[in-house]
Amino acid sequence: MRTAIVVGAGIGGVTAAVALEQCGRQVTVLERAPELGEIGAGISVWPGAVAVLEELGIKGVEQVARAGESAGMRRWDGRWIVEAADLGVELPVMIHRAQLHALITDRLGPSATIRTGTTVTGLTQDADGVTVQAGDQEYRADLVVAADGLRSVIRGVLYPEYDGPRYSGYTAYRGIAEAELTDGGGETWGRGQRFGFAKLIDGRYYWYATANRPADSPEGNPEYDVRERFAGWHEPIPALLAATSGVLQNDIYDLRTPLVPFVQGRVVLLGDAAHAMTPNMGRGACSAIEDAGALARVLRESRDLAAYDAERRPATTKLVKRSRAIGVMGQLDNPVLCTARDGLLGLGGKAAGLLARRRRVEQSRV
């Protein structure tokens, strides 16, 4: 049986392991964390990623996810920028990251092995395969998939000249609130700060927030900081924060463009290791899932691995750039620019809604 090593057991890594196993590979997953699992809060799963999961036989997403709802976009004081009726767009389903990760890992079969507590330090390639170093241990395989995240060790070995991650200029807070609300969710934009929330299927609310701050700022108390920053914002934001126990905070980075090739020899980059993007479009994990689906198609069809790069690098480069641009606009701090931005978004939302309704009418006539 042909062999593969997946470096990293996040959502992208375990999806890749499922895909590789179904392509007839004996798979070893190397994960540096001491235990298998996924930390975080909620995640949006878009239709393209749902289709890949279904193709891989990963069932149950619809049972633990909630169809996306949006009240639209508001200003910090609660005034509407764009209401939900004006949007006319398809929304993702919402699921807890840990639940999605568990659904995927449950699909792994007997030819897959996960080794936790294993930190990969390098790799070498030759004509017959790839050797991965992890401390004093070595692992050998025909194919290596690097799903080891934003600061990928494997990417650094393959492309030492690449500058890698760059700081976005803002930090993000995330949490899960035990709250009873009638609000459908949505996103609120202020000056240099944003707040969004959505309901999960179990009745809890996933929320996220962003705030401008310099790189490498001193660490504080995330729960206190986020409550102070958003104390004067419209309800239910203060209520959500008051109902939250435990807040995650991460400074936001993405990868510089142009992105490096996703394939070098027998090594494939996947997920954040290949195309880490800011979370403004909610597409990071979904793109990693779609990477795994594309890789599986290439292997099943016995195409050269370069076909994977040709498909996925242009698509994800667009997402990296768009997400970065949304972040720049969303984190504007100048009051005049913010007022202009909100007005343009309102007009754009109404126009998009009109176009969406016209398309639905035209489709109904076919």
Side-chain angles (χ1 to χ4, degrees):
M1 180 180 285
R2 304 193 71 182
T3 56
I5 292 171
V6 177
V7 182
I11 287 173
V14 294
T15 306
V18 171
L20 289 166
E21 191 178 29
Q22 293 184 11
C23 290
R25 303 265 177 163
Q26 183 175 343
V27 184
T28 301
V29 182
L30 305 179
E31 168 56 44
R32 66 180 178 181
E35 295 181 0
L36 185 65
E38 181 75 19
I39 61 171
I43 181 174
S44 53
V45 187
W46 292 83
V50 172
V52 171
L53 295 173
E54 291 178 347
E55 184 179 340
L56 295 175
I58 296 166
K59 307 294 185 182
V61 173
E62 67 284 353
Q63 297 174 6
V64 294
R66 180 181 175 88
E69 299 178 13
S70 178
M73 182 180 291
R74 285 173 270 199
R75 287 166 36 100
W76 69 272
D77 57 5
R79 288 168 51 194
W80 291 102
I81 299 173
V82 186
E83 294 192 56
D86 295 327
L87 292 173
V89 296
E90 186 176 25
L91 295 172
V93 295
M94 300 300 302
I95 186 173
H96 197 286
R97 293 186 72 96
Q99 289 177 304
L100 179 59
H101 190 271
L103 285 173
I104 298 169
T105 53
D106 285 348
R107 189 71 177 90
L108 289 170
S111 59
T113 302
I114 298 178
R115 299 184 182 277
T116 56
T118 304
T119 300
V120 170
T121 54
L123 90 168
T124 55
Q125 297 191 66
D126 55 41
D128 299 319
V130 188
T131 300
V132 175
Q133 291 88 38
D136 57 358
Q137 298 291 315
E138 289 189 345
Y139 300 87
R140 182 81 174 168
D142 304 315
L143 173 69
V144 168
V145 175
D148 53 341
L150 171 73
R151 304 187 187 281
S152 169
V153 170
I154 304 301
R155 187 186 64 239
V157 171
L158 298 179
Y159 304 103
E161 72 286 356
Y162 181 55
D163 287 339
R166 70 173 184 180
Y167 183 49
S168 66
Y170 50 94
T171 194
Y173 304 86
R174 293 170 292 155
I176 299 289
E178 301 273 359
E180 294 185 8
L181 306 174
T182 57
D183 199 307
E187 193 161 275
T188 299
W189 285 23
R191 289 179 51 191
Q193 299 186 160
R194 288 174 287 159
F195 193 100
F197 64 100
K199 193 172 186 178
L200 300 174
I201 199 168
D202 62 6
R204 295 181 299 170
Y205 280 83
Y206 160 59
W207 62 262
Y208 56 90
T210 61
N212 291 347
R213 76 169 191 170
D216 302 319
S217 296
E219 292 186 8
N221 181 325
E223 193 165 333
Y224 174 81
D225 290 345
V226 73
R227 289 181 180 179
E228 284 292 300
R229 285 183 179 276
F230 295 92
W233 285 39
H234 70 80
E235 290 293 350
I237 292 173
L240 285 168
L241 296 176
T244 300
S245 178
V247 174
L248 300 173
Q249 180 183 356
N250 303 95
D251 287 347
I252 300 301
Y253 290 79
D254 66 0
L255 288 183
R256 300 175 186 273
T257 53
L259 301 173
V260 297
F262 292 0
V263 175
Q264 189 182 113
R266 296 171 179 263
V267 182
V268 172
L269 299 179
L270 180 145
D272 282 355
H275 49 70
M277 60 190 73
T278 58
N280 300 299
M281 297 177 69
R283 296 294 294 269
C286 290
S287 295
I289 292 170
E290 291 167 1
D291 289 347
L295 178 60
R297 288 192 299 274
V298 167
L299 293 175
R300 288 194 202 102
E301 296 166 8
S302 300
R303 289 185 285 158
D304 190 279
L305 288 174
Y308 166 78
D309 178 71
E311 177 182 343
R312 295 304 298 158
R313 186 153 50 119
T316 53
T317 295
K318 290 178 182 177
L319 291 176
V320 170
K321 290 180 176 179
R322 288 174 186 169
S323 190
R324 183 183 297 164
I326 291 170
V328 170
M329 182 168 57
Q331 297 301 130
L332 287 174
D333 192 48
N334 181 287
V336 175
L337 292 179
C338 286
T339 299
R341 173 199 67 191
D342 295 349
L344 289 172
L345 286 172
L347 291 173
K350 293 180 185 299
L354 287 172
L355 288 173
R357 285 191 287 274
R358 180 180 295 176
R359 282 195 298 269
R360 287 196 293 270
V361 170
E362 291 173 349
Q363 290 169 358
S364 68
R365 292 172 178 170
V366 176

